Amino acid sequence: MTDLMTTRWTRYGKDRLYVKTRDGIDVGHIDLLTGAVEVTVAEFEHDVRALASQQHSTPSPVLTPSPRPTAPDPPASPTPTRVGQDLAANVAGAAAWAKREEVNGRAPRWNLVARLLGIKTEERAWRVGAKGEEKVGRKLASLPNAWHVLNAVPIGDRGSDIDHMVIGPSGVFTLNTKHHPDGRVWLSERALLVNGHRTDYLRNSRFEAERVSKLLTASCATAVEAQAVIVFVDLAKFTTKGSPSDVYVTTCPRLRNLLMQRPQRLTQSQVDHIYAVARSSLTWQPA
């Protein structure tokens, strides 16, 4: 069998196994719930279907409702309890890879040619972003057991997600990963430039942290403040002329120290309680 890589993706009640070559070329995916197989590169059809035959249809962890009564003509019941997904099963970069698969599916052959020619495309942007999130995810995995990490947290009903959420003794952090291979970043108190161009990264990260703070506060029944973090991956140069007071900006190698060197703000029981709430998809989706 050809040497292939697989990435499992679970979201919105779906459970899929995406298949790609070692250099990241998408060749298809397997629906682990239905057994359906989709092959995007015909040369790999035999390999993808061979992988599918080895899989078992095992749904992602969910909170299941009680069985419906079997008695005839049951009385009217209140609105059924909503079913939530356990987001702890999400892997770093899962949402970005899923978006990449969606974009690539529109023109797989053109995207392959563009990649070979070094042409920047929307497919490339999502692929590079996903790889950056994977690198940050590996760095976060080295945090001590007192810390909890959630990846690719879907929020709202418009397809948005939080790259990483970290909950530990130093507080709650929303991480926005930015992958700019060999890029140059310039930071001041009010501006963040990448390769000489002003970005909206600071504004977006503030909004994300504020949104998370409101939703966690409502679900935890106690005040929870999330702190925004922007994490750059694979930079060539990082120049700091000042730092915003409400957004941490760092690089992947420095991330672990930044989180652990913050003052303690939460007890372990508070950390565990917030994590238990944050890992349920119901916390982040509209009723």
Side-chain angles (χ1 to χ4, degrees):
M1 179 182 293
T2 304
D3 191 16
L4 297 176
M5 299 174 59
T6 59
T7 302
R8 189 170 182 177
W9 179 76
T10 57
R11 189 172 178 184
Y12 301 134
K14 297 180 179 180
D15 193 355
R16 293 178 178 176
L17 197 67
Y18 286 96
V19 186
K20 55 187 176 181
T21 62
R22 286 290 175 183
D23 59 355
I25 298 174
D26 167 62
V27 298
H29 73 261
I30 304 162
D31 191 315
L32 298 178
L33 297 180
T34 66
V37 177
E38 181 173 328
V39 180
T40 55
V41 179
E43 290 82 354
F44 292 92
E45 181 169 2
H46 175 76
D47 297 324
V48 175
R49 294 193 181 280
L51 281 173
S53 67
Q54 301 172 9
Q55 305 304 314
H56 297 281
S57 299
T58 304
S60 301
V62 294
L63 307 177
T64 56
S66 301
R68 293 183 60 186
T70 57
D73 301 322
S77 59
T79 302
T81 301
R82 296 172 65 205
V83 178
Q85 182 181 357
D86 186 356
L87 302 179
N90 288 6
V91 298
W97 276 120
K99 185 63 179 179
R100 182 264 170 190
E101 305 302 333
E102 176 188 334
V103 171
N104 187 61
R106 301 169 192 160
R109 296 187 182 279
W110 158 243
N111 286 323
L112 177 59
V113 172
R115 182 174 182 180
L116 294 174
L117 296 177
I119 300 173
K120 293 184 178 180
T121 61
E122 184 182 1
E123 180 275 335
R124 176 190 179 277
W126 286 108
R127 172 165 42 84
V128 170
K131 290 182 177 180
E133 290 181 33
E134 289 177 339
K135 289 188 176 184
V136 172
R138 288 193 290 270
K139 176 64 69 173
L140 294 174
S142 68
L143 287 168
N145 292 335
W147 294 73
H148 299 291
V149 178
L150 294 170
N151 299 297
V153 177
I155 184 169
D157 56 1
R158 298 185 179 181
S160 299
D161 76 285
I162 302 166
D163 295 342
H164 316 274
M165 186 180 303
V166 181
I167 305 167
S170 299
V172 179
F173 301 87
T174 57
L175 275 57
N176 198 334
T177 294
K178 299 299 179 184
H179 193 188
H180 293 278
D182 297 321
R184 296 172 291 105
V185 167
W186 186 92
L187 174 69
S188 70
E189 293 181 2
R190 297 179 179 272
L192 196 164
L193 280 64
V194 176
N195 297 328
H197 301 285
R198 186 180 292 269
T199 71
D200 56 5
Y201 293 169
L202 294 175
R203 181 195 65 190
N204 292 346
S205 294
R206 289 188 185 102
F207 172 78
E208 186 174 81
E210 291 170 359
R211 190 179 187 185
V212 167
S213 298
K214 291 178 180 178
L215 291 174
L216 280 180
T217 294
S219 295
C220 291
T222 186
V224 179
E225 180 183 359
Q227 303 170 77
V229 182
I230 299 174
V231 187
F232 284 99
V233 180
D234 294 341
L235 292 180
K237 188 176 182 180
F238 184 30
T239 303
T240 303
K241 297 297 183 180
S243 300
S245 60
D246 56 348
V247 180
Y248 296 115
V249 183
T250 188
T251 61
C252 188
R254 303 175 186 174
L255 175 60
R256 188 177 188 275
N257 286 341
L258 180 146
L259 295 173
M260 295 191 64
Q261 290 174 0
R262 300 302 97 194
Q264 180 171 347
R265 304 178 65 184
L266 301 173
T267 65
Q268 192 59 49
S269 61
Q270 290 174 319
V271 170
D272 294 339
H273 173 62
I274 295 172
Y275 174 64
V277 172
R279 68 188 294 179
S280 170
S281 63
L282 298 182
T283 300
W284 313 108
Q285 301 303 315

